[in-house]
Amino acid sequence: MASLLLPPPTSSSAASSLFSRSAFSNPTARFFAPNAVRCELTEPMNGKPCVPVINDQTLPKFWQSRRLENVVNKNSNNRIKIFSGTANSALSQEIAWYMGLNLGDILIKRFADGEIYVQLQESVRGCDVYLVQPTCPPANENLMELQIMMDACRRASAKNITAVIPYFGYARSDRKTQGRESIAARLVANLIKEAGANRVLACDIHSGQSMGFFDIPVDHVYCQPVILDYLASKKICSGDLVVVSPDVGGVARARAFAKKLSDAPLAIVDKRRQGHNVAEVMNLIGDVKGKVAVMVDDMIDTAGTISKGAELLHEVGAREVYACSTHAVFSPPAIERLSSGLFQEVIVTNTIPVMEKNYFPQLTVLSVANLLGETIWRVHDDCSVSSIFQ
Protein backbone atom coordinates (compact mmCIF):
# COMPACT_ATOMS: atom_id res chain seq x y z
CA MET A 1 0.00 0.00 0.00
CA ALA A 2 3.08 2.22 0.23
CA SER A 3 2.74 2.89 -3.49
CA LEU A 4 -0.33 5.01 -2.79
CA LEU A 5 1.55 7.43 -0.52
CA LEU A 6 3.01 9.74 -3.09
CA PRO A 7 5.20 12.64 -1.93
CA PRO A 8 5.68 15.53 -4.36
CA PRO A 9 8.54 15.05 -6.84
CA THR A 10 11.79 16.62 -5.65
CA SER A 11 13.62 16.86 -8.95
CA SER A 12 13.01 17.37 -12.62
CA SER A 13 13.85 13.73 -13.23
CA ALA A 14 10.69 12.73 -11.43
CA ALA A 15 8.63 14.90 -13.70
CA SER A 16 10.33 13.55 -16.80
CA SER A 17 9.11 10.05 -16.00
CA LEU A 18 5.51 11.14 -16.48
CA PHE A 19 3.49 10.80 -19.63
CA SER A 20 3.75 13.85 -21.83
CA ARG A 21 0.58 15.93 -21.92
CA SER A 22 1.08 16.66 -25.60
CA ALA A 23 -2.12 14.66 -25.98
CA PHE A 24 -3.95 17.81 -24.91
CA SER A 25 -3.55 19.13 -28.44
CA ASN A 26 -5.30 16.19 -30.11
CA PRO A 27 -8.98 16.30 -31.07
CA THR A 28 -10.05 14.48 -27.92
CA ALA A 29 -9.05 17.53 -25.89
CA ARG A 30 -12.55 18.88 -26.41
CA PHE A 31 -13.71 16.23 -23.94
CA PHE A 32 -12.28 18.34 -21.09
CA ALA A 33 -14.68 20.22 -18.91
CA PRO A 34 -13.66 23.89 -18.85
CA ASN A 35 -12.48 23.78 -15.24
CA ALA A 36 -11.54 20.10 -15.07
CA VAL A 37 -9.08 19.22 -12.35
CA ARG A 38 -6.24 17.59 -14.19
CA CYS A 39 -3.87 14.93 -12.98
CA GLU A 40 -0.83 13.17 -14.41
CA LEU A 41 -0.47 9.42 -14.44
CA THR A 42 2.52 7.17 -13.98
CA GLU A 43 2.85 3.94 -15.91
CA PRO A 44 1.49 0.88 -14.11
CA MET A 45 4.21 -1.38 -12.75
CA ASN A 46 3.98 -5.02 -11.74
CA GLY A 47 0.27 -5.08 -12.49
CA LYS A 48 -0.52 -2.38 -9.92
CA PRO A 49 -3.02 0.33 -10.80
CA CYS A 50 -2.02 3.67 -12.25
CA VAL A 51 -1.94 6.22 -9.45
CA PRO A 52 -1.91 9.97 -10.17
CA VAL A 53 1.06 12.02 -9.06
CA ILE A 54 0.08 15.54 -8.16
CA ASN A 55 2.73 18.17 -8.74
CA ASP A 56 2.97 21.73 -9.99
CA GLN A 57 3.56 20.62 -13.58
CA THR A 58 0.33 18.62 -13.74
CA LEU A 59 -2.01 21.42 -12.75
CA PRO A 60 -3.46 23.93 -15.24
CA LYS A 61 -2.48 27.57 -14.77
CA PHE A 62 -5.48 28.37 -12.60
CA TRP A 63 -4.85 25.52 -10.18
CA GLN A 64 -1.09 25.98 -10.31
CA SER A 65 -1.33 29.64 -9.29
CA ARG A 66 -3.59 28.65 -6.41
CA ARG A 67 -1.11 25.99 -5.31
CA LEU A 68 1.80 28.47 -5.33
CA GLU A 69 -0.30 30.99 -3.45
CA ASN A 70 -1.09 28.40 -0.82
CA VAL A 71 2.57 27.55 -0.35
CA VAL A 72 3.53 31.21 0.03
CA ASN A 73 0.74 31.96 2.48
CA LYS A 74 0.60 28.70 4.41
CA ASN A 75 2.08 30.28 7.53
CA SER A 76 -0.74 32.82 7.58
CA ASN A 77 -3.44 30.14 7.23
CA ASN A 78 -3.47 29.36 10.93
CA ARG A 79 -7.26 29.66 11.15
CA ILE A 80 -7.86 26.59 9.01
CA LYS A 81 -7.06 23.10 10.27
CA ILE A 82 -7.31 19.76 8.47
CA PHE A 83 -7.42 16.53 10.41
CA SER A 84 -7.50 13.02 9.03
CA GLY A 85 -9.28 9.98 10.35
CA THR A 86 -7.82 6.51 9.88
CA ALA A 87 -10.07 5.51 6.96
CA ASN A 88 -8.07 7.18 4.15
CA SER A 89 -4.98 8.92 5.47
CA ALA A 90 -3.25 8.84 2.08
CA LEU A 91 -5.97 10.99 0.48
CA SER A 92 -5.88 13.37 3.44
CA GLN A 93 -2.13 13.85 3.02
CA GLU A 94 -2.56 14.63 -0.68
CA ILE A 95 -5.32 17.16 0.08
CA ALA A 96 -3.16 18.90 2.68
CA TRP A 97 -0.19 18.99 0.31
CA TYR A 98 -2.28 20.57 -2.45
CA MET A 99 -3.54 23.19 -0.01
CA GLY A 100 -0.03 24.00 1.19
CA LEU A 101 -0.88 22.94 4.74
CA ASN A 102 0.16 20.26 7.19
CA LEU A 103 -2.32 17.77 8.58
CA GLY A 104 -3.36 18.56 12.14
CA ASP A 105 -1.91 16.47 14.91
CA ILE A 106 -4.52 14.08 16.28
CA LEU A 107 -4.39 10.94 18.39
CA ILE A 108 -6.83 8.17 17.46
CA LYS A 109 -6.64 4.79 19.12
CA ARG A 110 -8.78 1.83 20.14
CA PHE A 111 -9.18 0.46 23.61
CA ALA A 112 -8.94 -3.29 24.13
CA ASP A 113 -12.72 -3.65 23.85
CA GLY A 114 -12.83 -1.72 20.54
CA GLU A 115 -13.92 1.67 21.87
CA ILE A 116 -12.48 4.63 19.98
CA TYR A 117 -10.43 7.33 21.71
CA VAL A 118 -9.73 10.69 20.04
CA GLN A 119 -7.63 13.58 21.33
CA LEU A 120 -6.59 16.67 19.37
CA GLN A 121 -2.90 17.36 19.89
CA GLU A 122 -3.13 21.06 19.00
CA SER A 123 -5.47 23.96 19.65
CA VAL A 124 -8.46 24.50 17.33
CA ARG A 125 -10.09 27.31 19.32
CA GLY A 126 -11.76 29.70 16.88
CA CYS A 127 -10.55 27.73 13.83
CA ASP A 128 -12.35 26.38 10.77
CA VAL A 129 -11.77 22.63 11.07
CA TYR A 130 -12.08 20.12 8.21
CA LEU A 131 -12.23 16.44 9.13
CA VAL A 132 -11.45 14.05 6.26
CA GLN A 133 -13.04 10.65 6.86
CA PRO A 134 -14.94 8.48 4.35
CA THR A 135 -17.43 6.06 5.85
CA CYS A 136 -16.10 3.16 3.80
CA PRO A 137 -15.80 -0.40 5.10
CA PRO A 138 -15.79 -0.98 8.00
CA ALA A 139 -18.58 1.57 7.68
CA ASN A 140 -19.79 1.58 11.28
CA GLU A 141 -16.27 1.90 12.70
CA ASN A 142 -15.38 4.80 10.43
CA LEU A 143 -18.70 6.56 10.97
CA MET A 144 -18.31 6.37 14.74
CA GLU A 145 -14.74 7.60 14.50
CA LEU A 146 -15.88 10.61 12.48
CA GLN A 147 -18.53 11.46 15.08
CA ILE A 148 -16.05 11.27 17.95
CA MET A 149 -13.62 13.48 16.01
CA MET A 150 -16.36 16.08 15.53
CA ASP A 151 -17.29 15.88 19.19
CA ALA A 152 -13.67 16.48 20.18
CA CYS A 153 -13.48 19.53 17.91
CA ARG A 154 -16.76 20.93 19.22
CA ARG A 155 -15.64 20.56 22.83
CA ALA A 156 -12.31 22.20 21.91
CA SER A 157 -14.19 25.35 20.78
CA ALA A 158 -13.67 25.06 17.03
CA LYS A 159 -15.46 27.87 15.21
CA ASN A 160 -16.77 25.74 12.32
CA ILE A 161 -16.57 21.99 11.74
CA THR A 162 -16.86 20.59 8.21
CA ALA A 163 -17.14 16.84 7.76
CA VAL A 164 -15.31 15.99 4.51
CA ILE A 165 -16.80 12.62 3.58
CA PRO A 166 -15.37 11.43 0.23
CA TYR A 167 -17.62 8.37 0.40
CA PHE A 168 -20.94 8.77 2.23
CA GLY A 169 -22.09 5.37 3.40
CA TYR A 170 -25.71 4.36 3.98
CA ALA A 171 -26.78 6.61 1.09
CA ARG A 172 -28.43 3.62 -0.59
CA SER A 173 -30.98 3.46 2.24
CA ASP A 174 -32.64 6.69 1.14
CA ARG A 175 -36.27 5.56 0.86
CA LYS A 176 -38.66 2.77 1.75
CA THR A 177 -39.13 0.27 -1.06
CA GLN A 178 -40.85 -2.31 1.16
CA GLY A 179 -42.78 -2.23 4.38
CA ARG A 180 -41.02 -1.87 7.74
CA GLU A 181 -37.71 -0.71 6.27
CA SER A 182 -35.48 1.93 7.84
CA ILE A 183 -34.26 5.06 6.07
CA ALA A 184 -30.70 4.88 7.36
CA ALA A 185 -29.44 7.79 5.26
CA ARG A 186 -31.64 10.17 7.27
CA LEU A 187 -30.48 8.63 10.54
CA VAL A 188 -26.80 9.06 9.61
CA ALA A 189 -27.44 12.67 8.55
CA ASN A 190 -28.97 13.36 11.97
CA LEU A 191 -26.05 11.70 13.75
CA ILE A 192 -23.50 13.81 11.86
CA LYS A 193 -25.30 17.03 12.67
CA GLU A 194 -25.80 16.18 16.35
CA ALA A 195 -22.12 15.25 16.68
CA GLY A 196 -21.23 18.86 15.88
CA ALA A 197 -20.87 19.29 12.11
CA ASN A 198 -21.71 22.73 10.71
CA ARG A 199 -21.29 21.64 7.10
CA VAL A 200 -20.82 18.45 5.07
CA LEU A 201 -18.67 18.06 1.96
CA ALA A 202 -19.30 14.77 0.15
CA CYS A 203 -18.38 13.22 -3.20
CA ASP A 204 -20.93 11.70 -5.58
CA ILE A 205 -23.64 10.81 -3.07
CA HIS A 206 -25.55 7.76 -4.31
CA SER A 207 -28.82 9.66 -4.55
CA GLY A 208 -29.10 13.42 -4.69
CA GLN A 209 -32.16 13.50 -2.45
CA SER A 210 -29.99 12.36 0.45
CA MET A 211 -28.71 15.93 0.69
CA GLY A 212 -32.20 16.92 1.81
CA PHE A 213 -31.82 14.77 4.92
CA PHE A 214 -29.29 17.22 6.33
CA ASP A 215 -30.41 20.33 8.20
CA ILE A 216 -26.97 21.86 7.59
CA PRO A 217 -25.35 22.97 4.29
CA VAL A 218 -24.06 20.19 2.03
CA ASP A 219 -21.49 20.77 -0.72
CA HIS A 220 -21.82 17.99 -3.29
CA VAL A 221 -18.54 17.41 -5.14
CA TYR A 222 -18.78 15.69 -8.52
CA CYS A 223 -15.75 13.60 -9.43
CA GLN A 224 -16.68 13.30 -13.10
CA PRO A 225 -14.14 15.97 -14.22
CA VAL A 226 -11.26 13.83 -12.97
CA ILE A 227 -12.49 10.72 -14.83
CA LEU A 228 -13.35 12.73 -17.94
CA ASP A 229 -9.87 14.21 -17.95
CA TYR A 230 -8.34 10.75 -17.89
CA LEU A 231 -10.62 9.48 -20.66
CA ALA A 232 -9.61 12.47 -22.77
CA SER A 233 -6.02 11.26 -22.64
CA LYS A 234 -7.09 7.97 -24.25
CA LYS A 235 -6.84 7.99 -28.02
CA ILE A 236 -10.44 7.06 -28.73
CA CYS A 237 -12.27 8.56 -31.66
CA SER A 238 -15.31 10.49 -30.45
CA GLY A 239 -17.46 8.76 -33.07
CA ASP A 240 -16.68 5.36 -31.53
CA LEU A 241 -17.77 6.25 -28.00
CA VAL A 242 -21.07 5.36 -26.39
CA VAL A 243 -21.87 5.94 -22.72
CA VAL A 244 -23.82 3.13 -21.03
CA SER A 245 -25.88 3.24 -17.86
CA PRO A 246 -25.70 -0.18 -16.14
CA ASP A 247 -29.28 0.21 -14.88
CA VAL A 248 -32.30 2.44 -15.32
CA GLY A 249 -31.64 4.23 -12.03
CA GLY A 250 -28.34 5.63 -13.28
CA VAL A 251 -29.63 7.18 -16.50
CA ALA A 252 -29.40 10.78 -15.26
CA ARG A 253 -25.78 10.26 -14.20
CA ALA A 254 -24.84 8.63 -17.50
CA ARG A 255 -26.61 11.34 -19.50
CA ALA A 256 -24.62 14.07 -17.74
CA PHE A 257 -21.43 12.10 -18.37
CA ALA A 258 -22.25 11.64 -22.06
CA LYS A 259 -22.95 15.35 -22.45
CA LYS A 260 -19.42 16.16 -21.26
CA LEU A 261 -18.01 13.61 -23.73
CA SER A 262 -18.96 15.74 -26.74
CA ASP A 263 -22.60 14.65 -26.47
CA ALA A 264 -21.73 10.99 -26.95
CA PRO A 265 -24.72 8.68 -27.60
CA LEU A 266 -26.34 6.98 -24.63
CA ALA A 267 -27.32 3.34 -24.10
CA ILE A 268 -29.18 1.79 -21.17
CA VAL A 269 -29.07 -1.73 -19.76
CA ASP A 270 -32.58 -2.69 -18.66
CA LYS A 271 -32.59 -5.51 -16.16
CA ARG A 272 -35.75 -7.24 -15.00
CA ARG A 273 -36.28 -10.07 -12.54
CA GLN A 274 -39.35 -12.18 -13.19
CA GLY A 275 -39.51 -13.52 -9.65
CA HIS A 276 -37.49 -14.72 -6.67
CA ASN A 277 -34.62 -17.04 -7.61
CA VAL A 278 -35.37 -16.44 -11.29
CA ALA A 279 -32.60 -15.30 -13.62
CA GLU A 280 -32.64 -11.68 -14.68
CA VAL A 281 -33.69 -10.73 -18.18
CA MET A 282 -31.22 -8.22 -19.67
CA ASN A 283 -32.21 -5.89 -22.49
CA LEU A 284 -30.18 -3.14 -24.12
CA ILE A 285 -31.66 0.16 -25.21
CA GLY A 286 -29.34 1.76 -27.75
CA ASP A 287 -26.67 0.74 -30.27
CA VAL A 288 -23.18 -0.30 -29.17
CA LYS A 289 -22.15 -2.58 -32.02
CA GLY A 290 -18.52 -1.98 -32.99
CA LYS A 291 -18.18 0.85 -30.47
CA VAL A 292 -16.22 1.55 -27.30
CA ALA A 293 -18.72 1.36 -24.43
CA VAL A 294 -18.05 3.40 -21.30
CA MET A 295 -20.16 2.16 -18.38
CA VAL A 296 -20.71 4.82 -15.71
CA ASP A 297 -21.82 4.28 -12.13
CA ASP A 298 -21.29 6.03 -8.80
CA MET A 299 -19.96 2.95 -7.01
CA ILE A 300 -18.84 -0.60 -7.61
CA ASP A 301 -19.75 -2.83 -4.68
CA THR A 302 -19.93 -6.52 -5.63
CA ALA A 303 -19.74 -5.61 -9.36
CA GLY A 304 -22.72 -7.85 -10.14
CA THR A 305 -24.74 -5.27 -12.06
CA ILE A 306 -21.87 -3.79 -14.02
CA SER A 307 -20.32 -7.15 -14.94
CA LYS A 308 -23.62 -8.57 -16.18
CA GLY A 309 -24.11 -5.43 -18.21
CA ALA A 310 -20.62 -5.84 -19.70
CA GLU A 311 -21.45 -9.41 -20.71
CA LEU A 312 -24.52 -8.17 -22.55
CA LEU A 313 -22.53 -5.42 -24.28
CA HIS A 314 -20.01 -7.96 -25.59
CA GLU A 315 -22.84 -10.22 -26.76
CA VAL A 316 -24.35 -7.44 -28.87
CA GLY A 317 -21.01 -6.52 -30.45
CA ALA A 318 -19.28 -3.84 -28.35
CA ARG A 319 -15.61 -3.58 -29.32
CA GLU A 320 -14.31 -2.61 -25.88
CA VAL A 321 -15.92 -1.96 -22.51
CA TYR A 322 -14.63 0.50 -19.91
CA ALA A 323 -16.04 0.74 -16.38
CA CYS A 324 -15.94 4.15 -14.66
CA SER A 325 -16.93 4.64 -11.04
CA THR A 326 -16.16 7.10 -8.27
CA HIS A 327 -16.28 4.77 -5.29
CA ALA A 328 -14.39 1.47 -5.33
CA VAL A 329 -16.17 -0.41 -2.53
CA PHE A 330 -15.05 -3.76 -3.99
CA SER A 331 -16.92 -6.21 -1.76
CA PRO A 332 -16.31 -9.88 -2.64
CA PRO A 333 -16.56 -11.22 -5.30
CA ALA A 334 -16.01 -7.88 -7.11
CA ILE A 335 -12.34 -8.44 -7.92
CA GLU A 336 -12.99 -11.81 -9.58
CA ARG A 337 -15.74 -10.29 -11.72
CA LEU A 338 -13.82 -7.16 -12.70
CA SER A 339 -10.61 -9.02 -13.58
CA SER A 340 -12.34 -11.73 -15.62
CA GLY A 341 -11.54 -10.07 -18.95
CA LEU A 342 -14.86 -8.32 -19.52
CA PHE A 343 -13.34 -4.85 -19.15
CA GLN A 344 -10.59 -3.16 -21.07
CA GLU A 345 -10.05 -0.94 -18.04
CA VAL A 346 -11.72 -0.28 -14.69
CA ILE A 347 -11.35 3.38 -13.71
CA VAL A 348 -12.06 4.44 -10.13
CA THR A 349 -11.00 7.23 -7.78
CA ASN A 350 -9.32 7.14 -4.38
CA THR A 351 -12.32 8.31 -2.34
CA ILE A 352 -12.01 4.83 -0.85
CA PRO A 353 -8.50 3.38 -0.41
CA VAL A 354 -7.90 0.35 -2.61
CA MET A 355 -6.09 -2.37 -0.72
CA GLU A 356 -3.09 -3.93 -2.43
CA LYS A 357 -4.73 -7.35 -2.40
CA ASN A 358 -7.46 -5.89 -4.61
CA TYR A 359 -5.11 -4.71 -7.36
CA PHE A 360 -5.55 -6.25 -10.79
CA PRO A 361 -4.01 -5.35 -14.17
CA GLN A 362 -7.05 -3.53 -15.58
CA LEU A 363 -7.43 -1.23 -12.55
CA THR A 364 -6.70 2.50 -12.72
CA VAL A 365 -7.02 4.70 -9.63
CA LEU A 366 -7.38 8.46 -10.09
CA SER A 367 -6.82 10.97 -7.30
CA VAL A 368 -9.49 13.49 -6.30
CA ALA A 369 -7.17 15.24 -3.83
CA ASN A 370 -6.73 18.45 -5.81
CA LEU A 371 -10.47 18.62 -6.49
CA LEU A 372 -11.29 18.28 -2.80
CA GLY A 373 -8.48 20.63 -1.82
CA GLU A 374 -9.77 23.36 -4.12
CA THR A 375 -13.31 22.83 -2.86
CA ILE A 376 -12.17 23.22 0.75
CA TRP A 377 -10.39 26.46 -0.12
CA ARG A 378 -13.49 27.82 -1.79
CA VAL A 379 -15.67 26.92 1.17
CA HIS A 380 -13.18 28.55 3.51
CA ASP A 381 -12.97 31.70 1.34
CA ASP A 382 -16.78 31.88 0.88
CA CYS A 383 -16.42 31.40 -2.90
CA SER A 384 -18.58 29.47 -5.33
CA VAL A 385 -18.13 25.69 -5.37
CA SER A 386 -20.54 24.93 -8.22
CA SER A 387 -18.47 27.01 -10.66
CA ILE A 388 -15.78 24.30 -10.53
CA PHE A 389 -18.08 21.93 -12.40
CA GLN A 390 -19.55 24.32 -14.98
Side-chain angles (χ1 to χ4, degrees), residues 9 32 110 145-146 178 212 258 373:
F32 286 115
R110 262 71 171 173
E145 183 179 303
L146 173 62
Q178 302 180 62

Short mmCIF file of all heavy atoms in Angstrom, two decimals, residues 9 32 110 145-146 178 212 258 373:
data_model
loop_
_atom_site.label_atom_id
_atom_site.label_comp_id
_atom_site.label_asym_id
_atom_site.label_seq_id
_atom_site.Cartn_x
_atom_site.Cartn_y
_atom_site.Cartn_z
N PRO A 9 7.24 15.27 -6.25
CA PRO A 9 8.54 15.05 -6.84
C PRO A 9 9.52 16.10 -6.35
O PRO A 9 9.18 17.27 -6.17
CB PRO A 9 8.29 15.17 -8.35
CG PRO A 9 6.84 14.90 -8.48
CD PRO A 9 6.20 15.42 -7.24
N PHE A 32 -12.53 17.75 -22.40
CA PHE A 32 -12.28 18.34 -21.09
C PHE A 32 -13.40 19.27 -20.70
O PHE A 32 -13.87 20.08 -21.49
CB PHE A 32 -10.98 19.15 -21.09
CG PHE A 32 -9.74 18.29 -21.10
CD1 PHE A 32 -8.88 18.29 -22.17
CD2 PHE A 32 -9.46 17.49 -20.01
CE1 PHE A 32 -7.75 17.50 -22.16
CE2 PHE A 32 -8.33 16.70 -20.00
CZ PHE A 32 -7.47 16.71 -21.08
N ARG A 110 -7.72 2.71 19.68
CA ARG A 110 -8.78 1.83 20.14
C ARG A 110 -8.40 1.24 21.49
O ARG A 110 -7.24 0.83 21.69
CB ARG A 110 -9.00 0.68 19.14
CG ARG A 110 -10.14 0.88 18.16
CD ARG A 110 -9.85 1.91 17.14
NE ARG A 110 -10.86 1.94 16.08
CZ ARG A 110 -10.89 2.87 15.14
NH1 ARG A 110 -9.99 3.85 15.12
NH2 ARG A 110 -11.83 2.86 14.21
N GLU A 145 -15.98 6.84 14.33
CA GLU A 145 -14.74 7.60 14.50
C GLU A 145 -14.93 9.04 14.06
O GLU A 145 -14.45 9.97 14.73
CB GLU A 145 -13.62 6.94 13.68
CG GLU A 145 -12.26 7.59 13.84
CD GLU A 145 -11.19 6.89 13.02
OE1 GLU A 145 -11.01 5.67 13.23
OE2 GLU A 145 -10.56 7.54 12.17
N LEU A 146 -15.61 9.25 12.95
CA LEU A 146 -15.88 10.61 12.48
C LEU A 146 -16.69 11.40 13.52
O LEU A 146 -16.40 12.57 13.79
CB LEU A 146 -16.64 10.56 11.15
CG LEU A 146 -17.16 11.89 10.59
CD1 LEU A 146 -16.00 12.84 10.30
CD2 LEU A 146 -18.00 11.65 9.33
N GLN A 178 -39.99 -1.27 0.62
CA GLN A 178 -40.85 -2.31 1.16
C GLN A 178 -41.30 -1.88 2.55
O GLN A 178 -40.74 -0.95 3.15
CB GLN A 178 -40.10 -3.66 1.24
CG GLN A 178 -39.57 -4.15 -0.10
CD GLN A 178 -38.85 -5.48 0.06
OE1 GLN A 178 -39.44 -6.47 0.47
NE2 GLN A 178 -37.57 -5.48 -0.27
N GLY A 212 -31.07 16.32 1.11
CA GLY A 212 -32.20 16.92 1.81
C GLY A 212 -32.40 16.40 3.21
O GLY A 212 -33.17 16.98 3.99
N ALA A 258 -22.29 11.66 -20.59
CA ALA A 258 -22.25 11.64 -22.06
C ALA A 258 -22.22 13.05 -22.62
O ALA A 258 -21.57 13.32 -23.64
CB ALA A 258 -23.45 10.88 -22.59
N GLY A 373 -9.24 19.53 -2.39
CA GLY A 373 -8.48 20.63 -1.82
C GLY A 373 -8.98 21.99 -2.29
O GLY A 373 -9.13 22.93 -1.50
#
